[in-house]
Amino acid sequence: MSEPLIEFKGVKTGYGHMEVLHGIDLSVTAGEIVTLIGSNGAGKTTTLMTLSGVNKVWEGEIRYAGESLNPVPPHEIVARGICHVPEGRQVFRDLTVKENLILGAYLRNDEEGIQKDLRHINELFPILEERQGQLGGTLSGGEQQMLAIGRALMGRPKVLLLDEPSLGLAPLIVKDIFETVQRINKEEGMTVLLVEQNANLALQMADRAYVIETGRITLSGDAKELANDPKVREAYLGGE
Ligand SMILES: Nc1ncnc2c1ncn2[C@@H]1O[C@H](COP(=O)(O)OP(=O)(O)O)[C@@H](O)[C@H]1O
Ligand SMILES: [Mg+2]
């Protein structure tokens, strides 16, 4: 098998003196959708922040495309194609939808390509085209999430990191967003690492999954198999 695109090897990190990740091993192969599920406070956001370079690796290593990311600063990690859609979306509230999208292309200067990608994103998320002149802060939660993902796509990333895109959204809207992410994965081969408390939908759409509990990976495997695992059902799927 070829080397994974992303690989965590015994990664430890934390805040101040408190260790939060106690040696994470995790890998993502190019073209996969991998989900990391776990309860509130388990260390999901910390894992993504460490991959983005915002949190430093204390011990162990994160590798990407055959190189260690440990010494690489966050802006360079973005430039290499890892784009993080943060928890809580964080769209620019006082900029229009279109301005938000254009900002996602700040590292590019291929004007024609940018216009083409804008059209593509408007096709993926038609509501964004309808709302292109509206201020980001006035969008609904679901629309803001679509805008946050669309803005990330404008940077033409190789890997999309999604931190709890379902947070606070109605189930039908979540389904719509997840289907679009799946489409981007299938049609463009975009690699996706999705972090979710909403294990149900995440396991339905992912290829593989990891379960994180208080900073440790406790289970991993095929997403559909994990969805049927009694321990996962009990702990994360309400035992249905
Ligand atoms: N900026 C921070 N400073 C101190 N502790 C933090 C900070 N962010 C997260 N933590 C702690 O790290 C642990 C993991 O948090 P987090 O990665 O946000 O979990 P999750 O995303 O799974 O809910 C929690 O105990 C949380 O309180
Ligand atoms: Mg989180």
Side-chain angles (χ1 to χ4, degrees):
M1 234 182 90
S2 57
E3 193 184 349
L5 183 61
I6 297 167
E7 191 167 24
F8 282 63
K9 292 178 170 177
V11 171
K12 297 185 179 179
T13 190
Y15 303 94
H17 295 292
M18 188 181 68
E19 188 178 285
V20 166
L21 300 184
H22 308 294
I24 296 288
D25 293 308
L26 176 155
S27 69
V28 184
T29 301
E32 270 191 312
I33 300 182
V34 171
T35 187
L36 176 66
I37 59 173
S39 321
N40 193 20
K44 303 180 299 299
T45 296
T46 302
T47 302
L48 292 191
M49 291 296 217
T50 311
L51 177 52
S52 296
V54 176
N55 294 343
K56 288 291 150 217
V57 173
W58 288 1
E59 250 186 81
E61 187 178 42
I62 300 178
R63 297 183 65 78
Y64 170 65
E67 288 178 42
S68 175
L69 285 187
N70 288 26
V72 183
H75 65 270
E76 173 61 22
I77 293 177
V78 177
R80 291 190 192 182
I82 298 183
C83 189
H84 188 163
V85 180
E87 193 173 349
R89 332 194 220 281
Q90 300 176 15
V91 305
F92 295 101
R93 304 184 63 82
D94 298 327
L95 297 182
T96 66
V97 166
K98 190 168 179 188
E99 288 164 342
N100 266 279
L101 288 174
I102 300 272
L103 266 181
Y106 73 104
L107 288 174
R108 300 172 57 183
N109 46 28
D110 58 322
E111 191 51 36
E112 253 178 58
I114 292 172
Q115 292 305 325
K116 183 162 164 273
D117 287 349
L118 257 185
R119 288 194 295 276
H120 180 52
I121 282 151
N122 285 332
E123 189 238 329
L124 287 170
F125 298 110
I127 192 81
L128 295 184
E129 180 158 37
E130 285 171 35
R131 301 287 157 93
Q132 59 176 306
Q134 193 170 321
L135 295 183
T138 65
L139 297 175
S140 72
E143 289 160 359
Q144 288 191 19
Q145 187 62 58
M146 294 176 200
L147 179 55
I149 295 172
R151 189 178 63 192
L153 294 175
M154 286 301 293
R156 283 263 174 122
K158 297 190 176 73
V159 181
L160 200 54
L161 309 181
L162 299 175
D163 194 345
E164 304 229 30
S166 77
L167 207 68
L169 303 183
L172 271 179
I173 294 171
V174 176
K175 192 159 172 282
D176 188 24
I177 291 174
F178 278 21
E179 278 171 6
T180 305
V181 171
Q182 251 180 334
R183 184 178 155 198
I184 297 161
N185 166 261
K186 292 230 157 48
E187 292 179 0
E188 298 160 42
M190 177 86 66
T191 305
V192 179
L193 178 56
L194 164 73
V195 150
E196 267 294 346
Q197 261 187 85
N198 183 344
N200 202 0
L201 275 173
L203 290 173
Q204 278 179 43
M205 90 142 177
D207 301 307
R208 287 190 308 113
Y210 292 84
V211 176
I212 183 169
E213 289 176 31
T214 53
R216 288 187 173 83
I217 302 291
T218 52
L219 281 171
S220 65
D222 178 87
K224 309 294 175 291
E225 278 169 27
L226 276 191
N228 289 317
D229 184 300
K231 279 181 290 197
V232 174
R233 301 193 72 81
E234 176 69 28
Y236 301 104
L237 302 174
E240 319 116 63

